[in-house]
């Protein structure tokens, strides 16, 4: 039996290594994107001050995604944590404030979901008392109905579900193009990386004391004029 941890909430970073993710998603032809995504996730998690555990493919157990995710959550509950905030590594828009907001609502007894634009979720905050491994593993993982099904799963069990703001995540090159439309929500480090992956040109223009970012998107097979976002 594990001793009771000093914190009642832990963060689970459920994310494969860069090598494995680059093999599965095949974006950009190398591991640079996934190295950056993992680095970003761990950086914002460490800034939260909460204990965290990173489950890569080496720590995951199970045949399906649902089985592996369920096992990872159960492993942390078995360590004595009352609450878990689970995230992946595929949302550059995710910030430490999202983690702290989730923690705050968990302390109020709520279950927390961070909806992703594709119909899944980028964050899940749940209590040990509301976790049923069998039914949880059976949710429609990696499908566009996941967020709604997960919300219904918890609400039908009597939970109050709080939703964070909706974010984009990265599963394909087209997701990176969509993220470029929300450049103000991203750190500058992503601009150069996205440019290399998509073959886009990124220019920074100085006007007096104001810095303006112009993103010229030359998307393949698009015969129209470049789109400018500022």
């Amino acid at each position: 039996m594990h001793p009771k941890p000093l914190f009642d909430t832990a963060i689970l970073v459920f994310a494969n290594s860069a090598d494995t993710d680059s093999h599965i998603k095949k974006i950009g032809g190398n591991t640079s994107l996934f190295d950056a995504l993992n680095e970003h996730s761990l950086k914002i998690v460490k800034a939260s001050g909460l204990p965290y555990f990173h489950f890569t493919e080496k720590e995951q157990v199970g045949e399906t995604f649902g089985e592996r995710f369920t096992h990872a959550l159960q492993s942390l509950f078995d360590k004595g944590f009352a609450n878990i905030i689970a995230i992946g590594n595929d949302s550059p828009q995710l910030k430490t404030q999202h983690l702290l907001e989730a923690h705050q609502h968990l302390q109020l007894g709520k279950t927390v979901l961070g909806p992703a634009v594709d119909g899944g979720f980028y964050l899940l905050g749940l209590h040990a008392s509301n976790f049923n491994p069998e039914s949880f593993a059976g949710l429609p993982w990696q499908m566009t109905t996941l967020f709604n099904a997960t919300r219904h799963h918890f609400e039908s069990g009597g939970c109050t579900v709080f939703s964070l703001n909706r974010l984009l995540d990265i599963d394909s090159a087209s997701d990176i193009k969509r993220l470029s439309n929300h450049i103000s929500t991203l750190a500058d480090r992503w601009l150069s990386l996205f440019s290399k992956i998509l073959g886009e040109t990124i220019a920074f223009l100085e006007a007096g004391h104001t810095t303006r970012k112009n993103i010229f998107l030359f998307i393949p097979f698009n015969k129209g004029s470049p789109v400018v976002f500022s």
Side-chain angles (χ1 to χ4, degrees):
M1 182 176 179
H2 292 276
K4 186 175 181 179
L6 295 176
F7 293 85
D8 65 353
T9 302
I11 298 177
L12 166 64
V13 182
F14 190 77
N16 291 326
S17 66
D19 285 338
T20 296
D21 263 351
S22 63
H23 177 73
I24 294 172
K25 296 187 177 181
K26 302 184 185 304
I27 303 174
N30 56 54
T31 64
S32 59
L33 172 64
F34 304 101
D35 281 327
L37 287 168
N38 276 330
E39 181 183 341
H40 169 73
S41 295
L42 293 175
K43 180 180 179 180
I44 65 170
V45 165
K46 291 175 182 178
S48 75
L50 295 169
Y52 71 93
F53 300 83
H54 185 188
F55 274 62
T56 69
E57 67 276 8
K58 294 180 180 179
E59 291 78 27
Q60 297 171 20
V61 176
E63 294 298 320
T64 67
F65 180 93
E67 290 175 355
R68 294 192 293 272
F69 189 34
T70 300
H71 180 269
L73 291 167
Q74 187 64 65
S75 296
L76 297 194
F77 284 135
D78 289 344
K79 293 181 181 293
F81 292 102
N83 313 308
I84 297 174
I85 299 171
I87 64 170
N89 69 342
D90 53 0
S91 182
Q93 293 177 307
L94 185 63
K95 295 179 171 56
T96 300
Q97 67 190 50
H98 293 110
L99 303 176
L100 297 178
E101 187 176 2
H103 182 236
Q104 178 184 12
H105 286 281
L106 281 171
Q107 298 303 307
L108 296 175
K110 302 175 186 177
T111 299
V112 184
L113 281 172
V117 170
D118 63 5
F121 58 78
Y122 61 86
L123 182 150
L124 168 66
L126 73 166
H127 306 270
S129 59
N130 300 326
F131 181 60
N132 183 310
E134 289 75 23
S135 58
F136 186 82
L139 288 170
W141 299 104
Q142 298 177 303
M143 298 180 66
T144 57
T145 56
L146 179 60
F147 173 80
N148 288 334
T150 304
R151 185 180 188 112
H152 176 74
H153 168 79
F154 285 108
E155 288 182 338
S156 63
C159 301
T160 299
V161 177
F162 176 82
S163 293
L164 299 169
N165 56 317
R166 194 176 301 273
L167 300 182
L168 285 155
D169 53 17
I170 294 178
D171 293 308
S172 65
S174 61
D175 293 328
I176 297 177
K177 295 174 186 176
R178 281 191 287 272
L179 270 166
S180 298
N181 293 328
H182 301 268
I183 212 68
S184 63
T185 68
L186 300 173
D188 288 348
R189 59 172 300 188
W190 297 105
L191 306 185
S192 176
L193 184 57
F194 289 175
S195 176
K196 292 177 182 177
I197 292 172
L198 296 179
E200 300 168 358
T201 299
I202 298 179
F204 298 88
L205 302 179
E206 296 289 341
H209 297 288
T210 302
T211 300
R212 185 182 179 191
K213 299 173 186 176
N214 287 345
I215 314 303
F216 298 89
L217 300 184
F218 296 95
I219 299 175
F221 311 113
N222 179 2
K223 297 181 180 179
S225 301
V227 183
V228 180
F229 301 97
S230 60

